[in-house]
Amino acid sequence: VIETEAAVLRASGSGSDGIPVFEALQIEPVQLDEPGPGEALVSIAVASICHSDLSVLTGDRPRPLPMVLGHEASGVVAATGPWTTRVRVGDHVLLSYVPACGRCRHCAEGRPALCEPGNRANAEGRLLTGSRPFRDAGGALLHQHLGLSAFSRMTVAAQESLVVLPEAMPLDHAALLGCAVVTGVGAVINTAGVEPGATVAVFGLGGVGLSVVMGAQLAGAAMIVGVDVAADKLARARELGATDGLLADATVVERVLELSAGGVDYAFDATGVPLVLEQAYRSTRRGGVAVALGLSHPDARISISPAELVSGERSLRGSYMGTTVPARDVSRLTQLYLRGQLPVELLVGSRIRMADIPHGFERLHAGVVGRQLVEISTADG
Ligand SMILES: [Zn+2]
Ligand SMILES: [Zn+2]
């Protein structure tokens, strides 16, 4: 058994004051099993705080608790279990939040983000191999977050959850590829297939939304309209290639329609807020495509006009993990980054220590600009 330290979430939801139960997330000493067959022990280098972690705390993403959170991360393989062949000790790895079995119907069709056994394991808070390797100091079982549980100095993951990175890729910026960048850039390139010259609107400019902006720039979009309630996020979007910025309010759809002379070709909702997804949909031109990539509560519903859908030949598409094929796309994204065409560093808002993770969740809830990178492997932790 390996003794380490991790951010453990023990409850979710909000108090009677409506404030999420931030105090339910604490850094604790934990015990970790040695890697089993097909698994690897990873020393986490950098893990960033993503809105999906916060959604588990707020209860918008119901998950089995207690759980070691964290899923957007990079690290170094410290040990491998028996019959682990995809990674070796010393490999720099990106953690990937849907382990793909490689054998189910979706994997066979080249859509590993939809992998059935992988997503079932994630929902049940275990690894693809079946293990739940974390215990708390009292020996009680802790669930795994998305097969990764990266807010820990060490973690054990299935080899299907790991993608080997080239040594030239800095581990801090690599961490961001794991969720924000594959989700946002993937939604543009893989899910929507945005063409050069297209017009694009992006609703919600957190890490994922800013990655959509980056992807649209990469795809050669002629107009990229960023939409958010925070002016400083609009400014960050402009640095990444947004041509216009609109502060979100009740009139935002009309303003997008005006700016784009009748609607954009592609509108992306990165917020997961049902009303915002409706706004994104209504911002598309006739024949346009709305892409939903923000996660909302399973019970949430939207309202759209079937008549506009039909007579306008609009499309509404979901995008999970950017329809990414990690073995293909992480290599592409890494090459683009190394050539200076994917300025991932502009997603970074601040760098914090492991002890600051609980406070980091409060800052994310308050609407901090840019990703908070947790530097986990540094000596002063
Ligand atoms: Zn995420
Ligand atoms: Zn599969």
Side-chain angles (χ1 to χ4, degrees):
V1 173
I2 300 148
E3 304 282 342
T4 185
E5 188 181 31
V8 179
L9 181 72
R10 294 192 173 271
S12 63
S14 299
S16 53
D17 49 7
I19 297 172
V21 290
F22 294 114
E23 65 283 1
L25 181 68
Q26 301 285 344
I27 309 294
E28 308 180 2
V30 295
Q31 301 172 347
L32 184 59
D33 290 340
E34 301 283 347
E39 299 171 356
L41 176 69
V42 178
S43 171
I44 299 292
V46 171
S48 43
I49 305 178
C50 170
H51 208 278
S52 302
D53 296 302
L54 178 61
S55 296
V56 178
L57 187 148
T58 60
D60 281 339
R61 293 272 293 154
R63 294 279 166 184
L65 301 177
M67 176 175 270
V68 177
L69 288 182
H71 65 279
E72 183 175 276
S74 62
V76 179
V77 175
T80 54
W83 307 302
T84 299
T85 54
R86 293 196 189 184
V87 294
R88 293 181 197 172
V89 172
D91 279 350
H92 288 189
V93 287
L94 177 68
L95 279 59
S96 179
Y97 67 83
V98 179
C101 76
R103 288 182 293 274
C104 75
R105 172 184 160 186
H106 304 293
C107 284
E109 289 177 351
R111 300 180 72 179
L114 304 181
C115 175
E116 275 170 20
N119 282 290
R120 198 180 319 128
N122 283 355
E124 293 172 5
R126 55 175 172 79
L127 305 190
L128 184 62
T129 55
S131 326
R132 290 186 182 88
F134 282 101
R135 302 281 182 280
D136 70 11
L141 184 144
L142 301 172
H143 292 88
Q144 196 88 354
H145 189 211
L146 299 173
L148 304 174
S149 288
F151 293 152
S152 177
R153 294 194 185 281
M154 307 290 284
T155 194
V156 167
Q159 59 183 342
E160 290 83 0
S161 296
L162 304 173
V163 184
V164 177
L165 292 164
E167 298 257 341
M169 183 71 204
L171 285 168
D172 55 349
H173 294 158
L176 295 162
L177 298 183
C179 180
V181 176
V182 294
T183 303
V185 175
V188 175
I189 307 285
N190 298 328
T191 313
V194 169
E195 313 89 350
T199 55
V200 170
V202 187
F203 288 73
L205 299 170
V208 171
L210 290 174
S211 295
V212 172
V213 171
M214 211 157 47
Q217 166 84 353
L218 205 55
M223 170 183 270
I224 306 171
V225 185
V227 181
D228 202 284
V229 291
D232 42 7
K233 291 187 181 179
L234 299 180
R236 185 64 69 101
R238 281 185 187 273
E239 289 177 62
L240 284 159
T243 55
D244 299 270
L246 296 177
L247 276 173
D249 64 19
T251 69
V252 73
V253 173
E254 285 66 36
R255 286 185 289 143
V256 175
L257 296 179
E258 195 184 317
L259 199 58
S260 57
V264 290
D265 299 321
Y266 298 93
F268 295 85
D269 170 47
T271 69
V273 177
L275 177 75
V276 179
L277 175 55
E278 290 173 13
Q279 289 177 330
Y281 175 78
R282 286 168 44 221
S283 299
T284 57
R285 66 166 172 86
R286 288 162 65 83
V289 180
V291 181
L293 51 147
L295 288 162
S296 53
H297 191 280
D299 296 339
R301 296 291 181 270
I302 60 166
S303 171
I304 61 169
S305 156
E308 283 177 15
L309 181 73
V310 174
S311 65
E313 285 200 346
R314 289 183 171 79
S315 304
L316 175 58
R317 301 203 52 180
S319 178
Y320 189 53
M321 204 170 80
T323 320
T324 291
V325 179
R328 175 194 68 192
D329 295 343
V330 170
S331 161
R332 289 180 178 174
L333 294 169
T334 303
Q335 293 308 314
L336 286 166
Y337 170 85
L338 292 172
R339 293 171 63 105
Q341 292 174 267
L342 197 70
V344 169
E345 63 279 5
L346 292 176
L347 299 181
V348 179
S350 57
R351 292 169 187 265
I352 65 173
R353 302 187 311 164
M354 194 163 168
D356 296 328
I357 289 175
H359 190 213
F361 274 66
E362 295 184 46
R363 282 192 295 260
L364 178 59
H365 187 253
V368 70
V369 180
R371 274 297 205 246
Q372 302 178 78
L373 292 191
V374 188
E375 296 180 321
I376 290 189
S377 68
T378 53
D380 61 350

